[in-house]
C-alpha cells in the first residue's frame, strides 16, 4: 500500500524508498497535504525584496525615520513606504510594485544601506515583474490572505506632501479624484474632498499649494504687540543623570554640517556690520499682514529681507557667485536662490527660495511658509536644500544682536540678522524718537570680494528696508 501511494502522488515522487518504509500511512497523508499546500501558495504569489535604490548626491546610507506601512498591508505602485533621512535631506520612498508587505527589514532610527533590502513585498507571480535574484521563498498563505491579495486598489499619483496630508486627515487617495496631469492628486483636491466631507467652505486660494487659514476660533491667540516687554520663558526638559558617558554616532544633518563647516574653514572670511532702522517696514508689514492672512499666507519680515537682498544682488552680482576649487574661475549665478537658515529638531538646515529675482514678496512669503512647514516636520527634499547662491540667517528669532556667520560653500557671502529692538534715535531735526532697530552682520569671501563692495551692497539693502516704498521702483 505504501509503495502504491508513493507512486500515485506526483508531488512527492522524489522521496526515496528507504524513507517510505519508515513512514506509516497517516504520515504520508500529512506530508502529501503539506506539499500540495506549499505548491498552491507558490502559484499565488512570489516575494520580492524591494531594495533601497541610489537616491543620488553620493549617499550610501540613510536613517529610517518613519514607516507608512506595516507587515500585512496592501500597497500599490507609487504608494509611500517610508521616510528616510540622509545627511542632506529627507526622502520618501515609494513602492515599485502592487502587492502585500511581508517583512520590514529595519526599525525606526535604524541605518539602511543603499542596495540592501528595505521590505519584502508579495506580488502576483503571473505578472513576472520580478527578476530571479529578487525572489525569495514564499511562506504558506491562508485563503483569507489570498483573497486580500486579489483585491487591489487602483494606482494613484501624488507627491509625498499630498500623501501625508491625506494620511493626517484619514483620507483614502483611491476615493479622491485627481485634477492634475495624468489624474495626479493635488493638495487642492484633498482640501476640496475634505470640505465636501465636513461641509466646510474653503476661501479661494491663488495657489494650489497654499493651505487656507484656520477659522478664528481655532487660531492661536495673537502675541502681545509690545515685543520689548515680552519675557522669554525657559524651556523645561526632564534631566536624567545616568552617571555614565554616552557615545552617539554623528548622523543626519549634523553629519552634513560637519562636512560643510570643515570646508568653510578654508575660506578667508571678513566681516561687516551695520544697523537698520525698520520703523517704516514694521508699519508696512502691519498693514499687509491681514491681507496676506486672508490669502492663506503668514507674512513675516523675512520675505522683505530676501527680496531686498535680491534687488541688491542685481547691482552686485559678485555676491551671487561661486569660486572653483583652484580659484581660477568665478561663476556668476543667473538665479537668486536665497537660503534661509532654520533651527529644527533635526539640526541646522538651510533650504532656499528659488528664483527670488522673479518672485513677489507674497510669492516669497508663500514659499517660506511651505519650507518652514516641511522643515518642522523633517520633510524637506533634496531640491529644497541644494542649489543655494546666497544665504540669510535670522538669528534674531531666537535672540541675540550680533553674530559671525560662516559662509556655506560654494557661496561667497552670508548675512546674519539680529533681533528687532525698540531704541531711541535722533531724526534729521535732532529730535529723539522711538525706532525699530535691527543689526546685520555680513561675512564674505575675501578672495574675490573686497570690503568696499560688501559695504555698498549693505547700504543698498539697507536703503530698501528703511524706505520700503523705494522697492516698488525696482520690483519686476
Amino acid at each position: 500500500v505504501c509503495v502504491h501511494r508513493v507512486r500515485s502522488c506526483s508531488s512527492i515522487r522524489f522521496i526515496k524508498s528507504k524513507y517510505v518504509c519508515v513512514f506509516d500511512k497517516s504520515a504520508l497523508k500529512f506530508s502529501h497535504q503539506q506539499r500540495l499546500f506549499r505548491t498552491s501558495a507558490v502559484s499565488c504569489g512570489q516575494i520580492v525584496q524591494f531594495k533601497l535604490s541610489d537616491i543620488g548626491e553620493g549617499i550610501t546610507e540613510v536613517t529610517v525615520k518613519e514607516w507608512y506601512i506595516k507587515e500585512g498591508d496592501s500597497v500599490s505602485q507609487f504608494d509611500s513606504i517610508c521616510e528616510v533621512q540622509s545627511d542632506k535631506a529627507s526622502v520618501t520612498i515609494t513602492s515599485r510594485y502592487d502587492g502585500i508587505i511581508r517583512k520590514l527589514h529595519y526599525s525606526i532610527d535604524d541605518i539602511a544601506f543603499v542596495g540592501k533590502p528595505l521590505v519584502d513585498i508579495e506580488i502576483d507571480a503571473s505578472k513576472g515583474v520580478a527578476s530571479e535574484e529578487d525572489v525569495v521563498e514564499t511562506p504558506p498563505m491562508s485563503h483569507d490572505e489570498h483573497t486580500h491579495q486579489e483585491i487591489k486598489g487602483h494606482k494613484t499619483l501624488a507627491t509625498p506632501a499630498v500623501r501625508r496630508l491625506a494620511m493626517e486627515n484619514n483620507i483614502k487617495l483611491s476615493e479622491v479624484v485627481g485634477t492634475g496631469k495624468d489624474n495626479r492628486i493635488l493638495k487642492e483636491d484633498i482640501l476640496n474632498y475634505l470640505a465636501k466631507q465636513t461641509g466646510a467652505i474653503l476661501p479661494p486660494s491663488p495657489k494650489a499649494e497654499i493651505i487656507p487659514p484656520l477659522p478664528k476660533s481655532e487660531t492661536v491667540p495673537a502675541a502681545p504687540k509690545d515685543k520689548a516687554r515680552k519675557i522669554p520663558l525657559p524651556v523645561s526638559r526632564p534631566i536624567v543623570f545616568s552617571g555614565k558617558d554616552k557615545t552617539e554616532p554623528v548622523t543626519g544633518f549634523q553629519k552634513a554640517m560637519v562636512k560643510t563647516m570643515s570646508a568653510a574653514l578654508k575660506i578667508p572670511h571678513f566681516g561687516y556690520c551695520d544697523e537698520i532702522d525698520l520703523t517704516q517696514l514694521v508699519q508696512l508689514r502691519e498693514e499687509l499682514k491681514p491681507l496676506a492672512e486672508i490669502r492663506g499666507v503668514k507674512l513675516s519680515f523675512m520675505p522683505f529681507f530676501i527680496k531686498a537682498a535680491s534687488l541688491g544682488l542685481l547691482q552686485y552680482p559678485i555676491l551671487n557667485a561661486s569660486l572653483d576649487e583652484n580659484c581660477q574661475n568665478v561663476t556668476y549665478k543667473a538665479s537668486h536662490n536665497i537660503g534661509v537658515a532654520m533651527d529644527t529638531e533635526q539640526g541646522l538646515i538651510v533650504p532656499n527660495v528659488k528664483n527670488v529675482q522673479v518672485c513677489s514678496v507674497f510669492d516669497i512669503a508663500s514659499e517660506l511658509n511651505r519650507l518652514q512647514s516641511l522643515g518642522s516636520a523633517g520633510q524637506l527634499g533634496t531640491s529644497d536644500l541644494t542649489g543655494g547662491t546666497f544665504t540669510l540667517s535670522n538669528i534674531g528669532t531666537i535672540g541675540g544682536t550680533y553674530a559671525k556667520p560662516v559662509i556655506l560653500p560654494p557661496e561667497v557671502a552670508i548675512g546674519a540678522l539680529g533681533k528687532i529692538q525698540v531704541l531711541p534715535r535722533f531724526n534729521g531735526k535732532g529730535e529723539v524718537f522711538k525706532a525699530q532697530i535691527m543689526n546685520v552682520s555680513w561675512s564674505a569671501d575675501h578672495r574675490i570680494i573686497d570690503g568696499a563692495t560688501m559695504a555698498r551692497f549693505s547700504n543698498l539693502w539697507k536703503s530698501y528696508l528703511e524706505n520700503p516704498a523705494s522697492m516698488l521702483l525696482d520690483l519686476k
Side-chain angles (χ1 to χ4, degrees):
V1 174
C2 291
V3 173
H4 174 72
R5 188 165 187 80
V6 169
R7 290 178 178 176
S8 63
C9 297
S10 60
S11 299
I12 55 175
R13 196 172 295 171
F14 62 90
I15 300 178
K16 295 182 179 180
S17 58
K18 64 178 181 179
Y19 294 110
V20 175
C21 63
V22 177
F23 298 115
D24 58 5
K25 184 176 180 180
S26 60
L28 283 173
K29 284 184 179 181
F30 178 77
S31 175
H32 173 63
Q33 292 173 354
Q34 288 292 99
R35 183 61 185 171
L36 288 181
F37 183 81
R38 292 185 59 82
T39 304
S40 175
V42 172
S43 65
C44 291
Q46 62 185 16
I47 299 295
V48 174
Q49 288 188 331
F50 178 42
K51 298 178 181 179
L52 179 63
S53 58
D54 185 7
I55 57 180
E57 300 290 332
I59 296 171
T60 59
E61 62 182 40
V62 295
T63 303
V64 179
K65 302 304 295 183
E66 184 177 0
W67 286 106
Y68 298 125
I69 45 87
K70 60 182 181 297
E71 294 181 2
D73 284 355
S74 248
V75 294
S76 300
Q77 293 185 47
F78 306 108
D79 282 353
S80 298
I81 292 180
C82 67
E83 176 194 341
V84 298
Q85 183 182 30
S86 69
D87 59 351
K88 297 182 183 294
S90 295
V91 179
T92 299
I93 306 299
T94 58
S95 174
R96 291 171 50 196
Y97 309 108
D98 298 335
I100 301 175
I101 302 297
R102 289 304 179 193
K103 181 180 179 181
L104 307 181
H105 285 267
Y106 300 98
S107 301
I108 300 296
D109 293 331
D110 282 355
I111 302 297
F113 297 92
V114 172
K116 299 297 182 180
L118 191 63
V119 297
D120 289 350
I121 304 179
E122 182 177 351
I123 63 173
D124 189 351
S126 62
K127 295 184 178 180
V129 295
S131 60
E132 291 286 339
E133 60 183 7
D134 289 338
V135 180
V136 297
E137 183 182 3
T138 306
M141 180 190 297
S142 66
H143 174 72
D144 293 339
E145 291 175 333
H146 173 66
T147 304
H148 181 62
Q149 181 192 16
E150 295 298 326
I151 305 174
K152 300 177 181 178
H154 65 276
K155 302 172 185 177
T156 56
L157 296 178
T159 62
V162 173
R163 294 181 183 277
R164 189 174 186 86
L165 178 63
M167 181 180 63
E168 291 174 350
N169 291 277
N170 297 321
I171 297 176
K172 294 182 179 179
L173 290 178
S174 59
E175 299 176 357
V176 181
V177 179
T179 60
K181 184 179 179 181
D182 299 329
N183 297 324
R184 182 179 295 273
I185 298 176
L186 306 177
K187 185 172 291 187
E188 63 179 0
D189 298 329
I190 300 294
L191 298 176
N192 291 334
Y193 179 86
L194 184 62
K196 292 178 181 178
Q197 298 296 319
T198 59
I201 300 177
L202 299 179
S205 176
K207 284 190 175 182
E209 292 296 324
I210 297 175
I211 301 176
L214 296 173
K216 292 183 178 180
S217 59
E218 299 180 10
T219 56
V220 180
K225 294 184 178 180
D226 189 359
K227 295 185 178 180
R229 298 181 181 179
K230 185 177 179 180
I231 301 176
L233 298 176
V235 179
S236 178
R237 295 181 180 177
I239 301 175
V240 179
F241 294 98
S242 61
K244 297 181 180 179
D245 295 341
K246 182 173 66 173
T247 303
E248 294 181 350
V250 179
T251 59
F253 294 133
Q254 190 178 20
K255 189 173 183 179
M257 187 167 62
V258 171
K259 186 186 303 182
T260 303
M261 293 298 101
S262 298
L265 288 178
K266 301 177 182 179
I267 300 174
H269 287 58
F270 83 90
Y272 178 84
C273 301
D274 199 358
E275 71 171 31
I276 319 295
D277 183 359
L278 299 180
T279 304
Q280 294 187 37
L281 182 61
V282 170
Q283 296 174 357
L284 177 62
R285 174 180 172 266
E286 288 299 322
E287 296 175 2
L288 298 179
K289 189 176 178 181
L291 299 177
E293 290 179 352
I294 293 175
R295 300 169 67 178
V297 173
K298 180 182 178 182
L299 182 63
S300 64
F301 290 103
M302 203 63 188
F304 296 96
F305 300 153
I306 292 174
K307 188 59 184 180
S310 177
L311 295 176
L313 293 176
L314 293 174
Q315 302 295 325
Y316 300 95
I318 188 63
L319 296 175
N320 195 61
S322 63
L323 185 66
D324 64 4
E325 294 183 358
N326 298 324
C327 301
Q328 299 296 320
N329 300 289
V330 178
T331 302
Y332 294 86
K333 303 294 185 178
S335 299
H336 296 173
N337 300 337
I338 299 182
V340 180
M342 293 183 180
D343 178 40
T344 68
E345 294 182 357
Q346 292 79 29
L348 176 66
I349 56 177
V350 189
N352 58 83
V353 181
K354 300 289 194 296
N355 298 309
V356 177
Q357 75 279 2
V358 294
C359 293
S360 66
V361 173
F362 179 82
D363 293 336
I364 300 171
S366 176
E367 179 67 3
L368 277 179
N369 286 185
R370 185 186 71 86
L371 294 175
Q372 288 168 348
S373 298
L374 294 178
S376 299
Q379 296 289 326
L380 286 169
T382 305
S383 60
D384 296 322
L385 295 168
T386 56
T389 61
F390 186 88
T391 299
L392 291 177
S393 177
N394 191 6
I395 194 66
T397 57
I398 301 176
T401 308
Y402 299 96
K404 187 179 180 182
V406 179
I407 300 170
L408 298 176
E411 300 174 19
V412 295
I414 185 175
L417 313 175
K419 63 181 179 181
I420 300 176
Q421 305 177 89
V422 179
L423 298 173
R425 289 296 183 267
F426 291 95
N427 59 18
K429 298 179 181 180
E431 300 170 343
V432 178
F433 71 99
K434 184 174 67 174
Q436 303 276 355
I437 300 299
M438 181 189 74
N439 294 96
V440 60
S441 304
W442 301 104
S443 290
D445 188 341
H446 216 339
R447 294 175 296 183
I448 58 173
I449 300 174
D450 54 63
T453 302
M454 188 76 253
R456 292 187 180 100
F457 167 81
S458 180
N459 290 337
L460 180 58
W461 180 77
K462 175 180 178 179
S463 67
Y464 283 131
L465 297 179
E466 292 188 340
N467 304 282
S470 64
M471 296 174 64
L472 297 175
L473 298 176
D474 296 320
L475 291 179
K476 299 183 183 299

